[in-house]
Amino acid sequence: VTRELAVGAEAAAVIRPAFRPEFDERIAHGRQIIDATFDQSAPRRVPAGTRIFGPESSGDPVHRLDSGWAYRAIDWPDGRRAIIEIYLPGDIIGVEAAVRDHPVDEVVAVTALTLHTIDTAVFAELMTSPVAAAIFGLITEQQWRIDRLAAALARRDAHERLALMLIDFHDRLRRRDPTMPASYALPLTQQQIGDHLGLTLVHVNRVLRSLREKEIVSIDHHVVTIRDLDRLRQLAGVERTIPRLAGERLLGQREPKLVGTEAGELNELALS
Amino acid sequence: VTRELAVGAEAAAVIRPAFRPEFDERIAHGRQIIDATFDQSAPRRVPAGTRIFGPESSGDPVHRLDSGWAYRAIDWPDGRRAIIEIYLPGDIIGVEAAVRDHPVDEVVAVTALTLHTIDTAVFAELMTSPVAAAIFGLITEQQWRIDRLAAALARRDAHERLALMLIDFHDRLRRRDPTMPASYALPLTQQQIGDHLGLTLVHVNRVLRSLREKEIVSIDHHVVTIRDLDRLRQLAGVERTIPRLAGERLLGQREPKLVGTEAGELNELALS
DNA sequence: CGGTGCGTTGACACTCCTCAACCAGGGTGG
DNA sequence: CCACCCTGGTTGAGGAGTGTCAACGCACCG
């Protein structure tokens, strides 16, 4: 177990947002309660392609994804679609929708799924109890992921985005199962990958070929095989999840002054 | 007041995510407590360009922005920068960081700011009390905004993104002050706008000229003047914040089956 | 006054998209 | 058992949208 934990911790350092130490215990405890609540419900299977969330669905319960892949997407009347988030086994789906009205987004099953479901009302109860911290943890992790997605969409090219996505899946799957090899099944179509990364399926295809020719990763029959993890990490730019270290800037003129919360500042100008 | 509320409500329908009715009261109540807590602290002013959050800042308290603009950014060692979120007066800064360790992102003051600040520990207390729902509301709204940003970055072109940003600021400012005219100060530089929308400053400049020539919006000396709100909304694609209505799709083959939570389903396959 | 940050504009290059064709695999129905 | 279709993947040619590089103007400031 020691060894596995070490591996897990290494992966987590790269990919998972850590929580403040004072919350760690609260979050772990709350997560247990959440899981226990889910466990009480009967598991449900839905076939691939099902829309489990969306404008027509009412009630909008909260799901725990026990097996299979799903995604959350926004789409426009003209047919463009953006996939904001991809759910892997173990993820909780619909936390935001339990608070926010008008679930703008739809959630679609990529593969057949196994779901445990609890009702919004029950979940609302949980939100008030000691479980709150754990739910903050869930939302926060989700948001952290989307932040990174937005950053990548804004400033990184197709190769880098693809590398980031593949590394992300790898590390998330590995977190659940530290024994997983550097190879995993990726059930998404190239169209879906494109919708996630803001590319066309044609371009996704070409970039994948390029990555294969460079012997970094290859995808064959929906199986990803990572051939050079280091170079893939480097490409993805997550050899360092915290993208910038102290004072490290290249473009001098963009450097904002650091002032922070130091003493003097505070009194100097207090009361506007 | 009636009139103002009506105006506010109209803007809200477009831009603000609504909350489930059962939470509305809780959220309003919690928000009052949060605001009262902030009010107890002495306001602090920081000059433009200050980094109020980031790797070097310790403590990572939570701020309420009372005046001025700020942004949250991720940047890479090679100097690329992505601005994930822009804070306007009234926004709360640092909620996620109060939970999540390693505040990956930095927050920088665009203009001089007035801040009310409470300590993370105090905020952590709030998170357990009846205020939790309100905090969920805060995070959820923020996430909703980033979702939309990511979607725009993935699938919308420069004109549409710019329009979306300008409309978003307009509606947010208007929500705070329903009497605001169709004109407002925008303190961001074109470089910052580019970092936010994933464009170069050169391209931002050109698109702004194009929008001015089409008499949709003009920006002069950091003052945005909306000349044709309808066309701007149309461009931004937020005449309908909920981007898709029931069953409305153009590309037939992408339509996922709708199954949902209807009766039969549930029993049919219960227990995996 | 020279520096510096920001905005503006032009010329050109490159990433990525569009359109189009073709192929492979897996159902399905005769 | 074999046509047939449908989905998903692969590849090419050409083009649009953005980026890069470079120059210049203007305001602000020490």
Side-chain angles (χ1 to χ4, degrees), chain B:
Chain B
V1 179
T2 317
R3 160 122 184 70
E4 288 183 7
L5 275 180
V7 174
E10 183 264 359
V14 175
I15 271 294
R16 182 170 43 175
F19 299 107
R20 302 192 151 275
E22 61 265 41
F23 287 112
D24 251 8
E25 199 184 340
R26 264 207 250 170
I27 288 180
H29 179 59
R31 178 69 206 228
Q32 280 177 8
I33 298 179
I34 294 173
D35 274 331
T37 312
F38 276 114
D39 288 338
Q40 283 171 20
S41 73
R44 179 160 75 101
R45 285 198 64 89
V46 303
T50 307
R51 182 190 293 158
I52 54 177
F53 240 100
E56 295 93 348
S57 77
S58 57
D60 301 320
V62 181
H63 306 279
R64 186 184 63 196
L65 182 58
D66 280 43
S67 75
W69 290 41
Y71 64 79
R72 180 162 62 90
I74 291 179
D75 41 39
W76 289 270
D78 63 6
R80 286 183 285 185
R81 164 175 287 187
I83 293 181
I84 306 299
E85 200 178 6
I86 293 175
Y87 299 105
L88 271 51
D91 287 345
I92 311 272
I93 302 175
V95 181
E96 344 77 58
V99 182
R100 184 201 297 168
D101 204 359
H102 285 303
V104 245
D105 314 340
E106 63 184 0
V107 175
V108 179
V110 176
T111 66
L113 309 180
T114 314
L115 297 173
H116 281 260
T117 302
I118 57 185
D119 190 69
T120 306
V122 176
F123 200 79
E125 282 308 309
L126 288 180
M127 293 203 307
T128 62
S129 73
V131 186
I135 299 179
F136 282 118
L138 291 176
I139 298 190
T140 292
E141 172 158 347
Q142 187 175 320
Q143 187 184 346
W144 175 85
R145 211 181 295 288
I146 299 168
D147 282 2
R148 275 205 329 180
L149 174 64
L153 288 168
R155 284 295 183 227
R156 320 211 65 193
D157 69 21
H159 285 258
E160 295 172 322
R161 285 183 232 167
L162 233 353
L164 183 62
M165 187 195 74
L166 293 173
I167 280 285
D168 183 57
F169 292 154
H170 169 264
D171 289 350
R172 285 163 76 186
L173 292 169
R174 188 113 176 226
R175 182 171 76 184
R176 259 209 133 194
D177 172 16
T179 66
M180 190 197 79
S183 175
Y184 60 90
L186 173 69
L188 303 173
T189 67
Q190 294 185 350
Q191 173 67 56
Q192 288 164 339
I193 295 174
D195 286 341
H196 186 47
L197 301 179
L199 302 169
T200 59
L201 97 189
V202 178
H203 202 60
V204 168
N205 188 295
R206 282 196 251 266
V207 172
L208 286 179
R209 173 165 46 142
S210 153
L211 290 176
R212 182 178 353 108
E213 284 168 355
K214 288 181 189 147
E215 304 199 334
I216 297 178
V217 261
S218 61
I219 303 188
D220 195 47
H221 290 283
H222 289 283
V223 173
V224 176
T225 307
I226 297 178
R227 306 215 175 281
D228 190 333
L229 186 56
D230 288 343
R231 274 203 294 161
L232 188 61
R233 280 231 150 82
Q234 195 182 356
L235 229 195
V238 291
E239 74 287 5
R240 149 190 313 181
T241 291
I242 300 134
R244 180 199 4 70
L245 291 184
E248 176 183 38
R249 297 305 305 272
L250 291 191
L251 304 184
Q253 71 178 68
R254 279 168 146 201
E255 181 73 36
K257 289 181 260 184
L258 174 67
V259 176
T261 325
E262 288 83 4
E265 265 295 302
L266 270 162
N267 328 343
E268 203 174 23
L269 289 163
L271 191 60
S272 159

Side-chain angles (χ1 to χ4, degrees), chain A residues 202-214:
Chain A
V202 178
H203 203 59
V204 168
N205 188 295
R206 281 196 249 266
V207 173
L208 286 179
R209 175 168 44 147
S210 152
L211 290 176
R212 185 181 347 113
E213 285 167 356
K214 290 180 189 147

